[in-house]
Amino acid sequence: KRLATSRNLESSAALFLVSALLLTIWLTLAVIAPLYRLVRQAERLPVDRGRAAPIRETGPKEMRELSRALNRMQRRIDSMIESRSRALAAISHDLRTIITRMRLRSEFIGDEALKSKMLKDVETMDSMLHKNLAYLRGEQSGAGVGLIDLDSVLQTIADEFADLGHDVSYSGGKHQTVYGSLEDLQRLFSNLVENAVNHGAHVVVSATPPQDGFIVVDVADDGPGIAADQKEQLLEPFVRGEPGRTVDAKSGFGLGLSIVASLVEKAGGKLQLLDRAPNGLIARVALPAAFS
């Protein structure tokens, strides 16, 4: 009798353990797994704006309601960003029309010194608005992608700035290849080099062979550098390193580094702003290599 009782207890315990295991598996599949999937999708908002599919409204009632709320939030974010972009693009377009009239009227100024200053201010305004429009177009356009000879792009950019009288050099020459958009890569590194020549006298662009699947490109200058507490902030749109100074040909609207950060993220790469000894800044971009 005692043996039978012991066997019944063992059977009950085994049944309990199996039931608990099945319940755990069910909870994992029915509740926890959808919750983790929802967290991963929510973390991409609004980074994958316009590219990611809406969050699937599945699972328990609470999960469906939460997914539905996140989808509504994403649609509102998309609408707000598009409205902002359209408004800024319209303003920039109208201002460029006025700038054209100002340029034409400046030609009739008799005082050559005043005329030169006026035309210089007009050209600066036109350049700033051009960057603004380019930034807004970059948010909405998807340039074609393919295999790109990164060394060729970097050498061309360095030569173009050198032809304009800047001290810019490039070291690499290994015909390293990445998969991406030629237009995006040109914008990315042109912005970095432009930022470097605006703040330093000597700029060195270098690329290293692929390591751990990434090609690392450094754009180093000998300028004053960036304070540690400002590096993260300067990657945001319309933020400049010296908020108190006036907008001129060198300071800009604060779009350069934000454009770079956006393009690097789009390419699946990484961006770092590092201090250079004894002074200066190193903008380091790591891009996935097409062939490791």
Side-chain angles (χ1 to χ4, degrees):
K1 185 176 180 181
R2 290 180 178 177
L3 182 60
T5 302
S6 177
R7 288 179 177 176
N8 288 335
L9 289 174
E10 291 177 356
S11 299
S12 299
L15 180 61
F16 173 79
L17 291 174
V18 171
S19 300
L21 179 61
L22 292 174
L23 180 61
T24 301
I25 294 174
W26 179 82
L27 286 173
T28 301
L29 295 176
V31 179
I32 299 177
L35 184 59
Y36 276 120
R37 184 175 64 249
L38 182 61
V39 168
R40 289 194 299 270
Q41 290 177 301
E43 285 178 345
R44 294 200 299 267
L45 303 179
V47 175
D48 290 338
R49 184 175 65 90
R51 299 193 299 269
I55 298 173
R56 288 184 296 170
E57 300 175 6
T58 59
K61 178 182 177 183
E62 292 78 9
M63 294 290 296
R64 294 197 303 272
E65 291 179 350
L66 179 58
S67 300
R68 196 173 299 117
L70 286 173
N71 282 330
R72 287 198 299 268
M73 180 186 71
Q74 179 61 27
R75 288 193 293 269
R76 288 195 294 269
I77 291 174
D78 289 346
S79 177
M80 291 172 61
I81 293 176
E82 290 173 2
S83 297
R84 180 210 63 179
S85 298
R86 285 196 298 268
L88 289 175
I91 292 172
S92 298
H93 181 271
D94 291 343
L95 287 176
R96 294 197 75 179
T97 301
I98 297 174
I99 287 174
T100 301
R101 293 203 301 265
M102 291 174 62
R103 183 183 291 113
L104 293 174
R105 290 170 181 171
S106 297
E107 294 293 341
F108 295 97
I109 297 177
D111 188 330
E112 289 298 326
L114 178 60
K115 175 181 176 181
S116 177
K117 291 179 181 179
M118 288 288 293
L119 288 174
K120 183 178 179 180
D121 288 341
V122 169
E123 292 301 326
T124 299
M125 292 171 60
D126 190 40
S127 175
M128 297 302 100
L129 287 174
H130 175 75
K131 292 180 181 179
N132 190 3
L133 289 171
Y135 175 75
L136 295 175
R137 284 195 298 267
E139 285 187 341
Q140 301 171 13
S141 64
V145 297
L147 289 175
I148 308 295
D149 185 339
L150 184 59
D151 287 279
S152 177
V153 172
L154 296 174
Q155 184 67 68
T156 300
I157 292 173
D159 291 343
E160 288 175 348
F161 278 90
D163 290 342
L164 293 174
H166 300 291
D167 185 359
V168 180
S169 61
Y170 172 67
S171 61
K174 302 298 183 181
H175 295 290
Q176 297 158 118
T177 307
V178 296
Y179 188 78
S181 163
L182 177 60
E183 179 184 346
D184 286 351
L185 289 177
Q186 289 172 334
R187 288 183 64 208
L188 192 166
F189 291 108
S190 291
N191 274 285
L192 282 180
V193 175
E194 181 180 12
N195 183 73
V197 299
N198 283 340
H199 297 92
H202 179 59
V203 178
V204 178
V205 183
S206 60
T208 61
Q211 294 182 356
D212 299 325
F214 284 86
I215 299 173
V216 176
V217 179
D218 284 352
V219 179
D221 65 64
D222 57 354
I226 299 175
D229 59 349
Q230 289 187 340
K231 289 177 181 176
E232 191 72 24
Q233 184 183 10
L234 286 176
L235 299 179
E236 297 296 325
F238 306 106
V239 176
R240 291 183 284 131
E242 301 176 27
R245 70 184 179 185
T246 57
V247 175
D248 55 27
K250 291 192 174 183
S251 66
F253 279 159
L255 285 172
L257 288 177
S258 65
I259 291 174
V260 169
S262 175
L263 293 173
V264 170
E265 183 179 32
K266 180 180 177 181
K270 306 169 187 176
L271 172 65
Q272 291 178 288
L273 301 179
L274 308 173
D275 295 325
R276 184 190 187 193
N279 61 278
L281 179 74
I282 299 175
R284 176 165 295 171
V285 177
L287 296 174
F291 307 103
S292 300

